[in-house]
Amino acid sequence: MYPIKIFSGSANRPLADRVCQYLDQPMGKMIVEKFPDGESFCRIEEDVRGKDVFIIQPTCRPVNDTLMELLVMIDCCRRASADRITAVIPYFGYARQDRKDEGRVPISAKLCANLLECAGANRVVALDLHSAQIQGFFDIPLDHLSASPILDEYINSLGYSPDEVVVVSPDAGSIKRAVKHVEALGGSLAIIDKRRLSGSEVEQAHLIGGPIEGRVAFLFDDMISTGGSICGAAKVVKEMGAKKVIVAASHGILCGPAIERLQEAPIDQVVLSDTIPLLPEHHIPKIKVLSCAPILGEVIKRIHNHESISQMFKTLKFATGQYY
Ligand code: R5P
Protein backbone atom coordinates (compact mmCIF):
# COMPACT_ATOMS: atom_id res chain seq x y z
CA MET A 1 0.00 0.00 0.00
CA TYR A 2 1.24 3.50 -0.79
CA PRO A 3 2.46 5.30 2.35
CA ILE A 4 0.55 7.87 4.38
CA LYS A 5 1.75 11.46 4.83
CA ILE A 6 0.19 14.03 7.15
CA PHE A 7 0.66 17.78 6.74
CA SER A 8 -0.67 20.70 8.72
CA GLY A 9 -1.38 24.28 7.76
CA SER A 10 -0.93 27.04 10.29
CA ALA A 11 -4.58 27.20 11.43
CA ASN A 12 -4.41 24.59 14.20
CA ARG A 13 -1.01 22.94 14.47
CA PRO A 14 -1.63 21.61 18.03
CA LEU A 15 -4.65 19.62 16.81
CA ALA A 16 -2.67 18.27 13.84
CA ASP A 17 0.12 17.24 16.24
CA ARG A 18 -2.42 15.37 18.39
CA VAL A 19 -3.70 13.57 15.29
CA CYS A 20 -0.13 12.55 14.38
CA GLN A 21 0.35 11.37 17.96
CA TYR A 22 -2.82 9.25 17.71
CA LEU A 23 -1.59 7.75 14.43
CA ASP A 24 1.98 7.40 15.65
CA GLN A 25 3.08 9.18 12.47
CA PRO A 26 5.57 12.02 12.11
CA MET A 27 4.26 15.36 10.84
CA GLY A 28 5.19 15.87 7.19
CA LYS A 29 7.78 18.54 6.53
CA MET A 30 6.31 21.55 4.81
CA ILE A 31 7.18 25.21 5.05
CA VAL A 32 4.01 27.28 5.26
CA GLU A 33 4.53 31.02 5.36
CA LYS A 34 3.46 34.36 4.01
CA PHE A 35 5.13 36.72 1.58
CA PRO A 36 5.63 40.25 2.90
CA ASP A 37 2.45 41.36 1.12
CA GLY A 38 0.38 38.66 2.88
CA GLU A 39 0.17 36.09 0.05
CA SER A 40 0.23 32.46 1.23
CA PHE A 41 3.13 30.24 0.23
CA CYS A 42 4.22 26.69 1.00
CA ARG A 43 7.01 24.30 0.02
CA ILE A 44 7.10 20.56 0.71
CA GLU A 45 10.42 19.53 2.22
CA GLU A 46 10.17 15.82 1.45
CA ASP A 47 9.05 13.46 -1.30
CA VAL A 48 5.27 12.98 -1.63
CA ARG A 49 5.24 11.27 -5.04
CA GLY A 50 2.73 8.40 -4.89
CA LYS A 51 1.84 9.11 -1.24
CA ASP A 52 -1.59 9.15 0.44
CA VAL A 53 -1.57 12.75 1.66
CA PHE A 54 -3.82 14.20 4.40
CA ILE A 55 -3.74 17.97 4.95
CA ILE A 56 -5.22 19.09 8.28
CA GLN A 57 -6.50 22.65 8.21
CA PRO A 58 -9.67 24.11 9.74
CA THR A 59 -10.74 27.17 7.77
CA CYS A 60 -11.20 29.22 10.93
CA ARG A 61 -10.05 32.75 11.76
CA PRO A 62 -8.47 34.40 9.82
CA VAL A 63 -10.85 32.59 7.49
CA ASN A 64 -9.68 33.95 4.14
CA ASP A 65 -6.04 33.26 4.99
CA THR A 66 -6.58 29.72 6.27
CA LEU A 67 -8.75 28.86 3.27
CA MET A 68 -6.22 30.21 0.78
CA GLU A 69 -3.39 28.46 2.63
CA LEU A 70 -5.27 25.16 2.39
CA LEU A 71 -5.79 25.69 -1.35
CA VAL A 72 -2.11 26.38 -2.03
CA MET A 73 -1.11 23.35 0.07
CA ILE A 74 -3.42 21.12 -1.97
CA ASP A 75 -2.12 22.59 -5.22
CA CYS A 76 1.44 22.07 -4.02
CA CYS A 77 0.85 18.37 -3.20
CA ARG A 78 -0.93 17.78 -6.51
CA ARG A 79 1.95 19.30 -8.48
CA ALA A 80 4.38 17.19 -6.43
CA SER A 81 2.53 14.05 -7.67
CA ALA A 82 0.84 12.90 -4.46
CA ASP A 83 -1.28 9.85 -5.25
CA ARG A 84 -4.34 11.04 -3.31
CA ILE A 85 -4.99 14.28 -1.40
CA THR A 86 -7.52 14.41 1.42
CA ALA A 87 -8.38 17.81 2.88
CA VAL A 88 -9.16 17.26 6.57
CA ILE A 89 -11.20 20.33 7.52
CA PRO A 90 -12.22 20.07 11.20
CA TYR A 91 -14.08 23.39 10.96
CA PHE A 92 -15.44 24.37 7.54
CA GLY A 93 -15.69 28.16 7.34
CA TYR A 94 -18.23 29.97 5.15
CA ALA A 95 -20.65 27.10 5.89
CA ARG A 96 -23.43 29.40 7.07
CA GLN A 97 -23.71 30.94 3.59
CA ASP A 98 -25.16 27.74 2.17
CA ARG A 99 -28.21 29.03 0.27
CA LYS A 100 -29.73 32.12 -1.29
CA ASP A 101 -32.04 33.17 1.51
CA GLU A 102 -32.49 36.59 -0.09
CA GLY A 103 -31.81 38.09 -3.50
CA ARG A 104 -28.31 38.97 -4.74
CA VAL A 105 -26.25 37.03 -2.20
CA PRO A 106 -23.54 34.40 -2.84
CA ILE A 107 -23.59 30.73 -1.86
CA SER A 108 -20.11 30.88 -0.41
CA ALA A 109 -20.10 27.32 0.96
CA LYS A 110 -20.57 26.02 -2.61
CA LEU A 111 -17.83 28.33 -3.86
CA CYS A 112 -15.45 26.89 -1.22
CA ALA A 113 -16.35 23.36 -2.33
CA ASN A 114 -15.58 24.31 -5.96
CA LEU A 115 -12.26 25.87 -4.95
CA LEU A 116 -11.16 22.79 -2.99
CA GLU A 117 -11.97 20.46 -5.88
CA CYS A 118 -10.36 22.77 -8.40
CA ALA A 119 -7.18 22.95 -6.29
CA GLY A 120 -6.91 19.15 -6.50
CA ALA A 121 -8.50 17.65 -3.37
CA ASN A 122 -9.56 14.07 -4.04
CA ARG A 123 -11.62 13.75 -0.88
CA VAL A 124 -12.67 15.76 2.14
CA VAL A 125 -13.11 14.97 5.81
CA ALA A 126 -15.26 17.50 7.68
CA LEU A 127 -16.61 17.64 11.19
CA ASP A 128 -20.05 18.95 12.14
CA LEU A 129 -20.75 20.97 9.01
CA HIS A 130 -23.22 23.75 9.70
CA SER A 131 -25.70 21.94 7.47
CA ALA A 132 -25.41 18.36 6.26
CA GLN A 133 -26.50 19.39 2.74
CA ILE A 134 -23.07 20.95 2.17
CA GLN A 135 -21.88 17.39 1.51
CA GLY A 136 -23.78 17.62 -1.77
CA PHE A 137 -21.79 20.69 -2.84
CA PHE A 138 -18.85 18.34 -3.49
CA ASP A 139 -18.53 15.87 -6.36
CA ILE A 140 -15.73 14.05 -4.54
CA PRO A 141 -16.20 11.76 -1.51
CA LEU A 142 -16.77 13.61 1.75
CA ASP A 143 -16.76 11.95 5.14
CA HIS A 144 -18.95 13.97 7.48
CA LEU A 145 -18.00 13.33 11.11
CA SER A 146 -19.26 14.63 14.40
CA ALA A 147 -17.60 15.56 17.68
CA SER A 148 -20.78 14.40 19.45
CA PRO A 149 -19.36 11.08 20.72
CA ILE A 150 -16.65 13.00 22.55
CA LEU A 151 -19.04 15.62 23.94
CA ASP A 152 -21.52 12.90 25.01
CA GLU A 153 -18.81 10.81 26.63
CA TYR A 154 -17.74 13.78 28.73
CA ILE A 155 -21.28 14.77 29.64
CA ASN A 156 -22.09 11.18 30.59
CA SER A 157 -19.06 11.19 32.87
CA LEU A 158 -20.67 14.03 34.89
CA GLY A 159 -23.01 11.35 36.27
CA TYR A 160 -26.48 12.92 35.96
CA SER A 161 -29.36 10.48 35.74
CA PRO A 162 -31.61 10.76 32.65
CA ASP A 163 -34.63 11.81 34.71
CA GLU A 164 -32.88 14.97 35.93
CA VAL A 165 -31.72 15.97 32.42
CA VAL A 166 -33.28 18.00 29.62
CA VAL A 167 -31.50 18.36 26.27
CA VAL A 168 -32.25 21.74 24.73
CA SER A 169 -31.97 22.66 21.06
CA PRO A 170 -31.21 26.40 20.91
CA ASP A 171 -33.04 26.74 17.57
CA ALA A 172 -35.08 24.76 15.06
CA GLY A 173 -31.96 24.04 12.96
CA SER A 174 -30.38 22.03 15.77
CA ILE A 175 -33.34 19.73 16.53
CA LYS A 176 -31.89 16.66 14.78
CA ARG A 177 -28.63 17.12 16.68
CA ALA A 178 -30.51 17.45 19.99
CA VAL A 179 -32.53 14.29 19.30
CA LYS A 180 -29.30 12.35 18.78
CA HIS A 181 -27.99 13.66 22.10
CA VAL A 182 -31.21 12.57 23.82
CA GLU A 183 -30.64 9.09 22.36
CA ALA A 184 -27.09 9.08 23.75
CA LEU A 185 -27.74 10.72 27.12
CA GLY A 186 -31.40 10.11 27.91
CA GLY A 187 -33.56 12.88 29.36
CA SER A 188 -36.31 14.92 27.76
CA LEU A 189 -36.15 17.29 24.80
CA ALA A 190 -36.91 21.00 24.54
CA ILE A 191 -36.63 23.36 21.57
CA ILE A 192 -36.21 27.12 21.68
CA ASP A 193 -37.83 29.33 19.08
CA LYS A 194 -34.97 31.60 17.91
CA ARG A 195 -35.37 34.57 15.57
CA ARG A 196 -32.21 36.16 14.20
CA LEU A 197 -32.27 39.96 14.27
CA SER A 198 -28.75 40.54 12.87
CA GLY A 199 -25.38 38.76 12.58
CA SER A 200 -24.79 39.11 16.31
CA GLU A 201 -28.28 39.61 17.81
CA VAL A 202 -31.04 37.02 18.26
CA GLU A 203 -34.38 36.94 20.03
CA GLN A 204 -35.48 33.86 21.98
CA ALA A 205 -38.62 33.76 24.04
CA HIS A 206 -40.68 30.61 23.45
CA LEU A 207 -39.75 27.08 24.43
CA ILE A 208 -41.42 23.89 23.26
CA GLY A 209 -41.10 20.64 25.23
CA GLY A 210 -39.36 20.14 28.54
CA PRO A 211 -39.88 19.99 31.50
CA ILE A 212 -37.16 22.45 32.51
CA GLU A 213 -37.80 23.26 36.17
CA GLY A 214 -35.34 21.57 38.52
CA ARG A 215 -33.49 19.88 35.66
CA VAL A 216 -29.92 20.04 34.42
CA ALA A 217 -30.16 21.60 30.95
CA PHE A 218 -27.67 20.48 28.29
CA LEU A 219 -27.65 22.90 25.35
CA PHE A 220 -25.97 21.65 22.17
CA ASP A 221 -25.07 23.74 19.13
CA ASP A 222 -22.71 23.24 16.21
CA MET A 223 -20.83 26.46 16.91
CA ILE A 224 -20.58 29.37 19.31
CA SER A 225 -19.76 32.45 17.30
CA THR A 226 -20.78 35.72 19.01
CA GLY A 227 -22.48 33.69 21.75
CA GLY A 228 -25.87 35.35 21.15
CA SER A 229 -27.75 32.12 20.42
CA ILE A 230 -26.40 29.97 23.22
CA CYS A 231 -26.42 32.69 25.90
CA GLY A 232 -29.98 33.70 25.00
CA ALA A 233 -31.05 30.05 25.20
CA ALA A 234 -29.30 29.65 28.57
CA LYS A 235 -31.17 32.67 29.90
CA VAL A 236 -34.51 31.21 28.79
CA VAL A 237 -33.96 27.85 30.49
CA LYS A 238 -32.56 29.45 33.65
CA GLU A 239 -35.61 31.71 33.93
CA MET A 240 -37.77 28.61 33.55
CA GLY A 241 -36.08 27.02 36.56
CA ALA A 242 -33.19 24.88 35.24
CA LYS A 243 -30.94 24.06 38.20
CA LYS A 244 -27.78 23.90 36.09
CA VAL A 245 -26.94 24.89 32.49
CA ILE A 246 -24.17 23.17 30.56
CA VAL A 247 -23.57 24.10 26.94
CA ALA A 248 -21.59 22.10 24.41
CA ALA A 249 -20.55 22.95 20.86
CA SER A 250 -18.20 21.40 18.34
CA HIS A 251 -16.71 24.70 17.17
CA GLY A 252 -15.67 27.54 19.46
CA ILE A 253 -15.40 30.45 17.05
CA LEU A 254 -15.75 32.87 19.98
CA CYS A 255 -15.68 36.18 18.15
CA GLY A 256 -16.85 39.69 19.05
CA PRO A 257 -18.65 39.80 22.41
CA ALA A 258 -18.67 35.98 22.85
CA ILE A 259 -16.42 35.73 25.90
CA GLU A 260 -18.11 38.61 27.71
CA ARG A 261 -21.51 37.07 26.97
CA LEU A 262 -20.45 33.60 28.12
CA GLN A 263 -18.99 35.05 31.33
CA GLU A 264 -22.19 36.90 32.15
CA ALA A 265 -24.69 34.24 31.02
CA PRO A 266 -26.25 31.82 33.54
CA ILE A 267 -24.06 29.00 32.20
CA ASP A 268 -22.15 26.69 34.54
CA GLN A 269 -19.87 25.12 31.96
CA VAL A 270 -19.05 25.48 28.26
CA VAL A 271 -17.66 22.37 26.57
CA LEU A 272 -15.96 22.79 23.19
CA SER A 273 -13.92 20.60 20.91
CA ASP A 274 -10.51 21.73 19.69
CA THR A 275 -11.39 22.16 15.99
CA ILE A 276 -10.49 25.85 16.40
CA PRO A 277 -7.60 26.89 18.64
CA LEU A 278 -8.53 29.18 21.52
CA LEU A 279 -6.92 32.61 21.78
CA PRO A 280 -5.34 33.56 25.12
CA GLU A 281 -8.38 35.67 26.04
CA HIS A 282 -10.67 32.66 25.52
CA HIS A 283 -9.20 30.76 28.46
CA ILE A 284 -11.83 31.38 31.13
CA PRO A 285 -12.55 28.86 33.91
CA LYS A 286 -15.98 27.83 32.64
CA ILE A 287 -14.63 26.77 29.20
CA LYS A 288 -13.44 23.18 28.86
CA VAL A 289 -11.89 21.88 25.65
CA LEU A 290 -11.99 18.25 24.55
CA SER A 291 -9.88 17.00 21.70
CA CYS A 292 -11.41 15.57 18.53
CA ALA A 293 -7.98 14.22 17.51
CA PRO A 294 -8.93 10.57 18.25
CA ILE A 295 -11.90 10.85 15.85
CA LEU A 296 -9.86 12.50 13.09
CA GLY A 297 -6.93 10.14 13.61
CA GLU A 298 -9.12 7.04 13.50
CA VAL A 299 -10.89 8.27 10.36
CA ILE A 300 -7.60 9.01 8.60
CA LYS A 301 -6.40 5.51 9.49
CA ARG A 302 -9.60 3.95 8.18
CA ILE A 303 -9.62 5.97 4.94
CA HIS A 304 -6.03 4.94 4.35
CA ASN A 305 -6.79 1.26 5.06
CA HIS A 306 -10.11 1.28 3.11
CA GLU A 307 -12.09 0.44 6.26
CA SER A 308 -15.62 1.42 7.25
CA ILE A 309 -16.05 4.76 8.97
CA SER A 310 -19.66 4.45 10.05
CA GLN A 311 -18.74 1.25 11.85
CA MET A 312 -16.18 3.02 14.03
CA PHE A 313 -18.87 5.15 15.67
CA LYS A 314 -20.65 1.96 16.73
CA THR A 315 -17.64 0.24 18.20
CA LEU A 316 -15.07 2.76 19.43
CA LYS A 317 -14.94 4.69 22.66
CA PHE A 318 -13.01 7.92 22.52
CA ALA A 319 -10.61 8.38 25.44
CA THR A 320 -12.67 10.43 27.88
CA GLY A 321 -9.53 11.32 29.78
CA GLN A 322 -7.91 13.11 26.85
CA TYR A 323 -8.70 16.76 27.51
CA TYR A 324 -6.63 19.80 26.67
C1 R5P B 1 -27.12 28.93 13.78
O1 R5P B 1 -27.82 28.50 12.90
C2 R5P B 1 -25.95 28.18 14.32
O2 R5P B 1 -26.23 26.83 14.54
C3 R5P B 1 -25.44 28.80 15.59
O3 R5P B 1 -26.47 28.75 16.56
C4 R5P B 1 -25.06 30.23 15.38
O4 R5P B 1 -24.35 30.38 14.20
C5 R5P B 1 -24.22 30.71 16.53
O5 R5P B 1 -23.93 32.05 16.31
P1 R5P B 1 -23.91 33.06 17.51
O6 R5P B 1 -23.03 32.46 18.59
O7 R5P B 1 -23.32 34.32 16.93
O8 R5P B 1 -25.31 33.26 17.98
Side-chain angles (χ1 to χ4, degrees):
M1 187 176 292
Y2 43 97
I4 194 167
K5 223 359 107 196
I6 317 278
F7 291 103
S8 172
S10 63
N12 195 346
R13 180 66 195 243
L15 171 60
D17 285 337
R18 283 173 208 135
V19 172
C20 284
Q21 210 178 318
Y22 181 90
L23 290 166
D24 199 17
Q25 283 283 332
M27 178 66 74
K29 294 189 182 75
M30 187 188 272
I31 291 171
V32 182
E33 57 190 16
K34 282 208 169 15
F35 286 115
D37 60 359
E39 290 178 358
S40 296
F41 173 73
C42 68
R43 184 171 53 240
I44 307 169
E45 298 281 277
E46 57 186 298
D47 183 24
V48 292
R49 187 175 293 273
K51 302 267 170 33
D52 190 16
V53 168
F54 293 82
I55 303 173
I56 303 174
Q57 173 89 325
T59 50
C60 55
R61 83 183 97 75
V63 184
N64 297 339
D65 285 358
T66 54
L67 174 63
M68 191 62 203
E69 193 178 280
L70 174 59
L71 296 172
V72 298
M73 289 172 76
I74 294 169
D75 183 76
C76 180
C77 292
R78 181 170 58 96
R79 291 175 195 281
S81 304
D83 194 80
R84 179 174 66 174
I85 304 163
T86 302
V88 181
I89 312 177
Y91 167 71
F92 188 86
Y94 282 110
R96 281 173 288 181
Q97 296 168 44
D98 61 353
R99 65 196 178 285
K100 278 190 79 168
D101 53 358
E102 56 179 320
R104 305 187 200 125
V105 294
I107 305 181
S108 309
K110 170 63 181 152
L111 173 64
C112 290
N114 288 348
L115 289 170
L116 287 160
E117 282 188 40
C118 184
N122 301 112
R123 63 186 304 142
V124 171
V125 172
L127 196 131
D128 289 311
L129 287 165
H130 177 62
S131 58
Q133 298 90 303
I134 291 172
Q135 293 170 80
F137 291 179
F138 290 87
D139 286 322
I140 51 176
L142 184 149
D143 294 298
H144 187 202
L145 317 172
S146 175
S148 294
I150 283 176
L151 302 176
D152 287 339
E153 227 179 279
Y154 171 72
I155 283 176
N156 251 328
S157 76
L158 299 177
Y160 295 108
S161 73
D163 54 8
E164 60 177 329
V165 163
V166 57
V167 173
V168 183
S169 171
D171 56 34
S174 295
I175 296 176
K176 275 191 183 161
R177 180 178 308 110
V179 169
K180 283 194 182 148
H181 286 292
V182 171
E183 283 163 11
L185 301 167
S188 54
L189 173 69
I191 300 148
I192 291 182
D193 171 25
K194 176 179 101 176
R195 315 270 162 102
R196 188 163 279 288
L197 305 177
S198 70
S200 62
E201 299 296 329
V202 292
E203 187 181 71
Q204 292 136 302
H206 310 290
L207 183 142
I208 306 153
I212 304 290
E213 185 151 13
R215 298 235 175 177
V216 180
F218 293 132
L219 278 60
F220 290 97
D221 211 342
D222 59 334
M223 60 179 80
I224 301 179
S225 182
T226 66
S229 307
I230 213 75
C231 293
K235 204 162 154 251
V236 171
V237 293
K238 198 68 188 180
E239 280 167 4
M240 293 182 74
K243 66 174 174 189
K244 214 162 190 184
V245 180
I246 297 174
V247 313
S250 307
H251 311 299
I253 301 173
L254 306 180
C255 59
I259 288 295
E260 202 183 320
R261 283 174 169 172
L262 290 172
Q263 292 267 37
E264 286 167 9
I267 295 174
D268 296 279
Q269 193 170 37
V270 180
V271 188
L272 301 171
S273 90
D274 60 351
T275 56
I276 301 175
L278 296 193
L279 298 173
E281 60 269 29
H282 294 158
H283 290 280
I284 57 171
K286 65 166 83 165
I287 292 186
K288 182 171 195 73
V289 182
L290 312 178
S291 184
C292 61
I295 291 185
L296 296 177
E298 186 61 30
V299 164
I300 289 172
K301 193 170 93 190
R302 284 169 183 251
I303 289 173
H304 181 67
N305 294 333
H306 304 289
E307 287 168 354
S308 163
I309 288 173
S310 54
Q311 195 57 30
M312 80 181 236
F313 287 101
K314 294 184 191 137
T315 52
L316 283 181
K317 284 267 169 258
F318 297 98
T320 303
Q322 202 175 4
Y323 307 140
Y324 295 89

